[in-house]
Amino acid sequence: MDMTLLPRTAALVIPILLGWLAGIFINYASDVLPATRRFSQPVCPECQTPFRWVDYLTLRACRNCGRQRSLRTWLVQILAVAAFVYFWLYPSKALGIPLGMLVLTYFGIITVIDLEHRLILHPTSLAGAVLGLIVGISIHSRAGGFWFGLGKSLLGGLFGFGVMYLLYQFGALVARLRARKMQAAGQAADDEEALGGGDVYLAGVLGLMLGWPFIWDGLLLGVLLGGLISFLFIFALLLRRRYVKDALMTFIPYGPYFIISAFYLLFL
Ligand SMILES: [Zn+2]
């Protein structure tokens, strides 16, 4: 019998425990940051009664209205533990285990907030920029020292931010033209945006992480993935004989696609 098997299995307690804690932090950040923009006391989404910390951290139902914790809460806990165990056994070559865990937690927070609120918050982008620099430098300094790594990371961040900024400006222009056209047609203009401003910051953060020239792959993969999903969406609408015009104007949130492509490049 392999005598190292038992300690290795016992060591799995570490990623299970850390994954559970990361899940709690992802849930907590996703619960409070969109509402208060700071690490405030969590409240019940149903009746707004503040949670007692013990109840909140042990995932208990609200004591006031009895509302159970959300499906997302449990899903995040399970996925975080699964991801931590997986990347403990098969660590990312680029990141290693500790940095990989930090990046997983960060991706978890922005993904949940983006999916639930269509929002990429400035505080999370700022925290991401710091983490992005650490990741970018640690990946790229292996080839040529600290300053080389710093340069590559900054160049990647600048490129990601710059490209998405130009796309954002183009999207804003299209939105303005569309608003004018709708007003001319006697309709009220809406606030539909082709590309969210938060995606620009996210692209900058991922650029810092991936560095130059890998941010190219990150952006390209994200845009392709977003385009593919949008195409399938339009195709589904066509099958249901809905107007293509509506489909083309539908908001494309690039955030999740960028995160998926960065996740793929960093971890797999
Ligand atoms: Zn309640």
Side-chain angles (χ1 to χ4, degrees):
M1 192 190 151
D2 184 359
M3 290 307 282
T4 61
L5 195 64
L6 189 68
R8 269 175 62 201
T9 313
L12 280 183
V13 171
I14 299 168
I16 290 172
L17 207 71
L18 289 176
W20 187 261
L21 290 176
I24 286 186
F25 186 63
I26 293 169
N27 276 317
Y28 171 59
S30 309
D31 284 340
V32 300
L33 287 183
T36 64
R37 308 291 157 112
R38 62 190 181 84
F39 290 122
S40 51
Q41 182 157 14
V43 299
C44 168
E46 185 78 29
C47 67
Q48 308 298 319
T49 307
F51 269 107
R52 282 163 59 181
W53 280 107
V54 192
D55 291 345
Y56 184 80
L57 295 175
T58 49
L59 308 182
R60 271 217 235 120
C62 171
R63 274 180 198 263
N64 185 45
C65 71
R67 185 197 155 106
Q68 297 292 327
R69 300 295 285 278
S70 65
L71 179 66
R72 178 262 281 168
T73 303
W74 292 99
L75 219 59
V76 164
Q77 293 300 135
I78 293 164
L79 283 175
V81 169
F84 270 49
V85 168
Y86 182 86
F87 291 111
W88 175 271
L89 295 172
Y90 310 100
S92 148
K93 283 197 183 73
L95 298 172
I97 290 175
L99 210 49
M101 286 176 167
L102 279 178
V103 173
L104 280 177
T105 307
Y106 180 70
F107 282 180
I109 293 169
I110 39 178
T111 304
V112 173
I113 294 179
D114 197 10
L115 288 178
E116 289 184 346
H117 302 273
R118 291 262 171 279
L119 208 60
I120 290 171
L121 303 170
H122 289 312
T124 56
S125 296
L126 212 63
V130 176
L131 181 62
L133 262 179
I134 296 171
V135 168
I137 291 170
S138 98
I139 291 176
H140 290 280
S141 59
R142 275 174 224 154
F146 175 82
W147 295 106
F148 178 79
L150 179 68
K152 286 245 172 186
S153 175
L154 286 175
L155 199 61
L158 212 64
F159 185 78
F161 183 87
V163 166
M164 291 312 284
Y165 180 76
L166 290 178
L167 281 176
Y168 178 68
Q169 292 300 331
F170 179 72
L173 184 74
V174 171
R176 270 204 299 279
L177 291 175
R178 177 168 173 260
R180 204 174 296 163
K181 223 169 103 183
M182 284 178 78
Q183 270 166 355
Q187 293 169 286
D190 53 13
D191 293 331
E192 193 100 37
E193 240 181 320
L195 180 74
D199 288 344
V200 177
Y201 291 101
L202 178 64
V205 167
L206 298 179
L208 289 171
M209 282 187 190
L210 295 170
W212 178 267
F214 302 113
I215 181 59
W216 261 112
D217 304 79
L219 288 180
L220 211 62
L221 210 61
V223 169
L224 282 178
L225 204 61
L228 180 74
I229 303 286
S230 310
F231 176 78
L232 291 175
F233 183 67
I234 290 170
F235 191 67
L237 285 182
L238 270 176
L239 286 181
R240 290 207 227 140
R241 295 164 189 240
R242 293 268 305 272
Y243 290 116
V244 186
K245 195 186 71 181
D246 291 346
L248 287 175
M249 287 305 178
T250 302
F251 177 87
I252 301 178
Y254 274 104
Y257 303 117
F258 284 146
I259 296 167
I260 292 172
S261 70
F263 173 79
Y264 175 78
L265 291 171
L266 287 169
F267 285 91
L268 309 168

